[in-house]
């Protein structure tokens, strides 16, 4: 335990560790170690953000996807998925309802859908920003060319989420088809950050073929890239993918990784992900207690939720939309001494 704690201190003070140091930490997901990391992470979170939790309303506006990620339920090869896409008017309605609920960030996520090209997205972003000037818009629509990202930024988009999925080129190549390149994904992330988006990357824990060395690589990447947001959740199999028979990722290891991210990057916006809430009924609260400070409830129309099936049982985690301050989520957070704040929740925004 002494070495473990010394490494946590080193991470807190310097924001980095040697490969050997990372491996030592990541090989210890057992309760006593994980709890030591979680209590330091929770302390840092509360120093920085008080007891406030940011919420983002997520609109999953299309499950058409031209990509073929082996792990993902909406991959183009999955012919069983019933495809849908929302029209502009429907997306704006989701935002209006979300605004009434108390959301001040809208996250628009989809598969890689040719209909929703950058031109159409830019028009949509402008309309959302005009209608809800005090709200932030986050896009999560995959890989685009730099000028297209620039076009979306110029249209007023504030943030962009693009999980890097794996910082190891070899592991990335195992879980994606040949035509999806690690180098393109990484280039996109560089472009997004340089353009000026609040940029989010991230990865799944326990995706097939992932080793602790791969996770070391992920942590080293986060340490040097310094994203504004990090999405980390357990891998969960989907029955109509090549990984149908694979095991889910470890909740304990996910929680440890969340704590290490908070200790390394104290200001980072770190969601307790839906996937964590899917594996355990109180997974999101555990994520918060491990250093997360963001929750992203689904505000998509009820009819779509089943179809945006990245992994099995995804929607069982979602309580359904109500006013954020009246929600079951708020009560669960109150039980652990936290409360939702109605705010954009930008990176670097002073809360305390
Ligand atoms: N098309 C967008 C959005 C992808 S879906 C993009 O390319 O960024 C959002 C995230 O869900 C993915 O980045 C992936 O990390 C996660 N995901 C996909 N399948 C999953 C699974 N089976 N288990 C857990 N997370 C999964």
């Amino acid at each position: 335990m002494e070495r473990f704690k010394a490494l946590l201190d080193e991470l807190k003070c310097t924001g980095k560790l040697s490969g050997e140091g990372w491996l030592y930490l990541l090989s210890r997901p057992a309760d006593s170690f994980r709890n030591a990391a979680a209590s330091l992470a929770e302390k840092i979170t509360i120093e920085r953000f008080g007891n406030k939790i940011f919420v983002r309303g997520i609109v999953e506006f299309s499950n058409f996807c031209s990509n073929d990620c082996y792990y993902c339920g909406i991959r183009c090869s999955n012919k069983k998925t019933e495809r849908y896409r929302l029209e502009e008017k429907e997306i704006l309605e989701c935002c209006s309802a979300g605004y009434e609920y108390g959301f001040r960030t809208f996250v628009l996520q989809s598969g890689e859908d040719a209909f929703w090209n950058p031109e159409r997205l830019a028009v949509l972003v402008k309309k959302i920003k005009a209608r809800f000037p005090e709200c932030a818009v986050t896009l999560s629509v995959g890989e685009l060319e730099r000028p297209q990202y620039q076009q979306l930024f110029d249209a007023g988009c504030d943030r962009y989420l693009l999980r890097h999925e794996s910082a190891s080129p070899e592991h990335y190549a195992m879980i994606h088809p040949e035509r999806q390149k690690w180098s393109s994904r990484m280039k996109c992330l560089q472009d997004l950050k340089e353009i000026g988006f609040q940029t989010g990357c991230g990865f799944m824990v326990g995706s097939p073929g992932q080793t602790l060395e791969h996770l070391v690589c992920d942590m080293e990447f986060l340490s040097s890239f310094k994203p504004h947001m990090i999405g980390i959740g357990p891998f969960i199999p989907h029955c109509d993918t090549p990984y149908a028979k694979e095991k889910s990722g470890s909740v304990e290891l996910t929680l440890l990784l969340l704590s290490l991210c908070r200790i390394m990057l104290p200001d980072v916006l770190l969601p307790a992900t839906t996937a964590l809430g899917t594996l355990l009924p109180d997974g999101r609260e555990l994520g918060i207690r491990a250093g997360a400070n963001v929750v992203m409830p689904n505000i998509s129309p009820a009819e779509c939720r089943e179809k945006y099936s990245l992994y099995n049982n995804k929607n069982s985690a979602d309580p359904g939309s109500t006013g954020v301050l009246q929600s079951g989520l708020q009560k669960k957070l109150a039980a652990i001494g936290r409360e939702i704040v109605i705010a954009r929740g930008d990176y670097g925004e002073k809360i305390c």
Side-chain angles (χ1 to χ4, degrees):
M1 184 58 89
E2 231 160 86
R3 166 128 205 253
F4 188 87
K5 287 197 168 159
L7 286 166
L8 295 184
D9 277 341
E10 185 182 339
L11 183 60
K12 180 166 178 262
C13 295
T14 68
K16 55 183 197 280
L17 284 181
S18 67
E20 198 199 344
W22 278 120
L23 206 53
Y24 188 91
L25 292 181
L26 296 181
S27 334
R28 278 155 186 81
D31 288 358
S32 54
F33 291 100
R34 187 166 45 80
N35 291 339
S39 61
L40 176 58
E42 190 178 34
K43 185 168 151 272
I44 294 171
T45 314
I46 288 176
E47 273 167 19
R48 185 65 190 74
F49 301 98
N51 71 341
K52 302 289 190 284
I53 299 296
F54 295 134
V55 287
R56 283 74 164 93
I58 178 159
V59 184
E60 297 164 337
F61 66 94
S62 165
N63 71 353
F64 281 89
C65 194
S66 56
N67 274 352
D68 214 12
C69 312
Y70 298 149
Y71 45 84
C72 184
I74 63 166
R75 63 199 295 264
C76 62
S77 293
N78 180 8
K79 302 297 177 218
K80 291 196 184 160
T81 296
E82 198 186 317
R83 305 285 165 174
Y84 75 93
R85 82 165 54 91
L86 300 185
E87 291 174 12
E88 183 186 273
K89 181 169 163 285
E90 295 171 298
I91 300 172
L92 287 166
E93 281 165 9
C94 290
C95 296
S96 290
Y99 187 88
E100 294 305 316
Y101 298 148
F103 292 101
R104 295 295 177 267
T105 291
F106 306 119
V107 179
L108 309 183
Q109 192 178 81
S110 69
E112 304 229 355
D113 179 359
F115 174 85
W116 274 111
N117 58 23
E119 290 68 39
R120 289 196 173 103
L121 285 169
V123 172
L124 172 66
V125 169
K126 281 188 195 153
K127 288 194 180 166
I128 297 175
K129 295 293 289 191
R131 199 177 286 186
F132 310 101
E134 77 271 41
C135 294
V137 174
T138 305
L139 283 172
S140 178
V141 299
E143 293 179 34
L144 297 171
E145 300 294 330
R146 183 171 179 139
Q148 304 179 316
Y149 284 143
Q150 185 69 55
Q151 185 180 5
L152 295 169
F153 186 75
D154 295 342
C157 180
D158 303 275
R159 309 187 191 131
Y160 203 101
L161 298 176
L162 184 79
R163 288 189 177 181
H164 64 281
E165 312 297 358
S166 176
S168 148
E170 294 75 32
H171 182 236
Y172 191 93
M174 281 178 64
I175 59 176
H176 297 99
E178 167 72 27
R179 63 186 158 84
Q180 291 178 232
K181 300 284 185 219
W182 176 86
S183 51
S184 320
R185 195 102 185 150
M186 290 308 206
K187 162 90 170 47
C188 287
L189 282 168
Q190 292 295 345
D191 288 342
L192 288 163
K193 205 164 181 227
E194 282 170 21
I195 288 169
F197 286 101
Q198 292 172 49
T199 303
C201 59
F203 56 90
M204 294 172 286
V205 179
S207 56
Q210 186 185 63
T211 62
L212 286 185
E213 286 73 16
H214 295 141
L215 288 173
V216 169
C217 198
D218 287 314
M219 295 311 279
E220 287 175 333
F221 169 66
L222 296 180
S223 168
S224 66
F225 184 64
K226 297 189 176 39
H228 306 101
M229 309 174 279
I230 305 176
I232 297 183
F235 161 76
I236 304 174
H238 185 289
C239 57
D240 301 317
T241 65
Y243 294 154
K245 299 250 149 51
E246 301 286 338
K247 283 205 310 260
S248 291
S250 152
V251 169
E252 289 74 18
L253 186 53
T254 305
L255 293 170
L256 174 60
L257 285 157
L258 289 175
S259 299
L260 298 178
C261 285
R262 170 63 62 209
I263 295 167
M264 175 166 69
L265 299 166
D267 289 333
V268 81
L269 297 163
L270 191 63
T273 53
T274 310
L276 198 53
T278 300
L279 286 188
L280 272 188
D282 60 347
R284 279 174 161 170
E285 292 88 293
L286 290 175
I288 301 277
R289 301 241 30 204
N293 70 324
V294 175
V295 186
M296 298 169 63
N298 194 328
I299 58 167
S300 313
E303 321 79 82
C304 309
R305 295 192 191 179
E306 199 122 309
K307 296 180 196 147
Y308 199 83
S309 172
L310 307 176
Y311 45 82
N312 288 142
N313 303 318
K314 171 166 167 284
N315 302 302
S316 57
D318 228 288
S321 314
T322 52
V324 292
L325 301 181
Q326 290 79 50
S327 63
L329 179 64
Q330 173 81 328
K331 291 201 188 80
K332 287 180 171 183
L333 292 174
I336 57 168
R338 300 300 190 83
E339 61 179 13
I340 293 170
V341 57
I342 296 193
R344 280 171 55 123
D346 283 294
Y347 182 82
E349 188 176 302
K350 281 270 171 277
I351 282 289
C352 308

